[in-house]
Amino acid sequence: MSPEIVTILALVAIFAIATFLPINMGALAFVAAFVVGTLSVGLSTDDILGGFPAGLVLTLIGVTYLFAIAQNNGTVDLLVRGAVRMVGGHVAAIPWIMFLVTALLTAIGALSPAAVAIIAPIALTFAARHGISPLLMGMMVIHGAQGGGFSPISVYGVTVNRIVEDAGLPSNPLAVFLGALVFNIAIALVLFFVLGGRQLIGRKVAAEGVPHTEHAHGTLVRGHGAAPGPAVGGDDDEHVHPDRPQPVTLDQVLTLVGLLTVAVLALVFDLDIGFVAITVAVVLALFSAQQHKGAVAQISWSTILLIAGVLTFVFVLEEAGTIDYVGDAVIGLGVPLLIALLLAYIGGVVSAFASSTAIIGVAILLAVPFLESGAISAVGVVVALSVASTIVDVSPFSTNGALVLANAQDVDRDRFYKQILGYAGIVVAVGPLLAWLVFVVPGWL
């Protein structure tokens, strides 16, 4: 049996076992990477370890460690209250604010994982405090990042436009940007209403004027259309003092400076956010070592095992030539519309486990031969492939999805993982088809 087929069967087996047995999928994937990589693909253990996603693991450790410290000293709550005041206490506006802020960051050139790493912990803390679906809040952040990610000055946008121009294909950077933005806004709108957004309309919160404690994070103020039942974030008889500000501690000031430093160094100077975040976290811990001695235990180690194991096996799959094997089979079909659809699915499925930037490039280059004939709109196919290869970053095995999973607050993490995986499955199954129907079939681009 060829290595390509063996790796595909092994991937199916990993998912099947992890679905029916309470075994971490990452541990299974490490075993598969070792067994399949050495026996079928012919890799050495050093080769396999070369596929270990060290950068992503460091990012997850650094970001979750930093925000554990920020959570413990009340800084995240301070930021959440600031977000509440910014929208006048309207709960329903918060998911959209998070979407827009993340979209703006990626549109002006920030790497998508860096933007999500900064915004997701704040967004998910707000969700936990005020009864918003964490799945809704996390996915709004990711779709915001993807929505702004194809501006002409963004990483995705520059990559796609350069590949298209080098291949001599018709180029339309504005169509790529607006196509991705509108598509992600449409998905976010559907998510908002499906995941409880209607129940948020009319609800308002006001920051409490009490010292920081584990539960004193805000009280719901009922507005027109609010759902019946007890208020979220406090008891019905709590007294709200929105005009009495909480005192800001020195630890919180230092943490705010640290978070700002991370944002500037990662977004402006393009330094690795994992190294920057863990450096800032250690510096903050030095100022209050006893208070933050438990922060390391709050890092989501099970999530890190899951992501690291699966991505290491995906490296083995790539080394086996499985992606090229499937791509060559698709190109051999010879029907332009069908090829475009299947390439969109290849981009979506592979990108759910690997680098979106790399997969976009591969998908577009695979499409060049049949696009040169002019039988199908090159711009439409490029937009469809770009969208299909990035909306799947909601996957828990992508950097963005992993960051959302690792930073979720007050949730059953196994259940939340299954929710994200289920949503990612829907996106992978339907997203490429919708992108193909919207951007390729009509031929309007």
Side-chain angles (χ1 to χ4, degrees):
M1 190 178 296
S2 69
E4 296 91 340
I5 300 299
V6 171
T7 55
I8 292 173
L9 292 176
L11 184 61
V12 173
I14 290 169
F15 275 96
I17 294 172
T19 299
F20 295 104
L21 296 175
I23 301 175
N24 188 293
M25 189 184 295
L28 293 169
F30 272 126
V31 173
F34 172 62
V35 174
V36 174
T38 55
L39 297 182
S40 181
V41 185
L43 299 174
S44 67
T45 52
D46 286 342
D47 293 333
I48 295 171
L49 287 174
F52 181 82
L56 175 55
V57 168
L58 180 62
T59 296
L60 291 174
I61 292 174
V63 170
T64 53
Y65 183 28
L66 174 59
F67 277 91
I69 290 175
Q71 179 72 31
N72 291 345
N73 65 23
T75 305
V76 173
D77 294 333
L78 194 65
L79 293 171
V80 169
R81 290 196 298 275
V84 170
R85 293 191 182 97
M86 184 172 65
V87 297
H90 294 280
V91 179
I94 294 294
W96 292 105
I97 289 294
M98 300 302 170
F99 179 98
L100 292 172
V101 170
T102 318
L104 178 62
L105 289 176
T106 55
I108 62 176
L111 289 171
S112 176
V116 172
I118 292 166
I119 303 301
I122 300 169
L124 290 164
T125 300
F126 187 95
R129 297 293 178 262
H130 299 294
I132 302 175
S133 164
L135 183 61
L136 169 62
M137 195 68 96
M139 297 307 105
M140 290 290 275
V141 170
I142 295 177
H143 284 299
Q146 306 316 321
F150 284 93
S151 79
I153 62 172
S154 69
V155 176
Y156 287 159
V158 169
T159 301
V160 169
N161 296 327
R162 183 174 298 160
I163 291 172
V164 170
E165 290 171 3
D166 289 346
L169 297 173
S171 176
N172 192 333
L174 185 61
V176 174
F177 173 43
L178 294 180
L181 178 61
V182 172
F183 198 90
N184 279 279
I185 288 174
I187 293 178
L189 191 62
V190 172
L191 280 175
F192 182 77
F193 287 103
V194 170
L195 296 177
R198 276 186 301 184
Q199 286 71 41
L200 303 178
I201 298 174
R203 286 173 52 183
K204 294 186 68 177
V205 293
E208 291 184 34
V210 296
H212 170 77
T213 66
E214 183 64 25
H215 299 289
H217 299 291
T219 299
L220 181 65
V221 180
R222 299 196 179 281
H224 178 67
V232 177
D235 298 324
D236 288 334
D237 59 353
E238 283 186 61
H239 297 286
V240 181
H241 301 286
D243 297 325
R244 187 188 306 165
Q246 283 192 21
V248 179
T249 67
L250 177 61
D251 274 351
Q252 291 171 343
V253 171
L254 292 174
T255 305
L256 288 172
V257 172
L259 293 176
L260 180 61
T261 301
V262 170
V264 171
L265 293 179
L267 302 181
V268 179
F269 293 95
D270 200 25
L271 296 181
D272 183 272
I273 192 168
F275 276 118
V276 172
I278 201 166
T279 300
V280 171
V282 169
V283 170
L284 291 173
L286 288 173
F287 281 96
S288 186
Q290 286 301 313
Q291 179 184 357
H292 302 308
K293 64 181 180 180
V296 171
Q298 293 173 248
I299 297 172
S300 182
W301 297 109
S302 63
T303 299
I304 291 171
L305 172 61
L306 169 71
I307 305 305
V310 171
L311 293 186
T312 301
F313 178 74
V314 168
F315 170 79
V316 172
L317 184 145
E318 291 173 338
E319 290 295 299
T322 306
I323 297 172
D324 293 335
Y325 172 80
V326 175
D328 291 341
V330 167
I331 296 300
L333 295 174
V335 182
L337 273 177
L338 182 58
I339 292 173
L341 176 60
L342 294 178
L343 285 179
Y345 270 103
I346 290 174
V349 172
V350 176
S351 184
F353 300 92
S355 167
S356 297
T357 306
I359 297 306
I360 292 171
V362 171
I364 294 175
L365 289 174
L366 286 173
V368 169
F370 78 88
L371 290 179
E372 288 177 335
S373 68
I376 191 172
S377 168
V379 174
V381 171
V382 168
V383 175
L385 294 179
S386 299
V387 169
S389 298
T390 53
I391 56 169
V392 295
D393 281 356
V394 298
S395 162
F397 308 114
S398 73
T399 305
N400 291 344
L403 285 166
V404 167
L405 178 61
N407 285 286
Q409 300 290 324
D410 301 329
V411 298
D412 180 335
R413 208 168 291 276
D414 287 339
R415 182 170 178 269
F416 190 46
Y417 160 69
K418 291 177 181 178
Q419 288 177 336
I420 296 178
L421 186 62
Y423 173 63
I426 294 172
V427 171
V428 170
V430 178
L433 175 62
L434 290 177
W436 178 76
L437 289 172
V438 172
F439 300 115
V440 179
V441 174
W444 56 279
L445 287 175

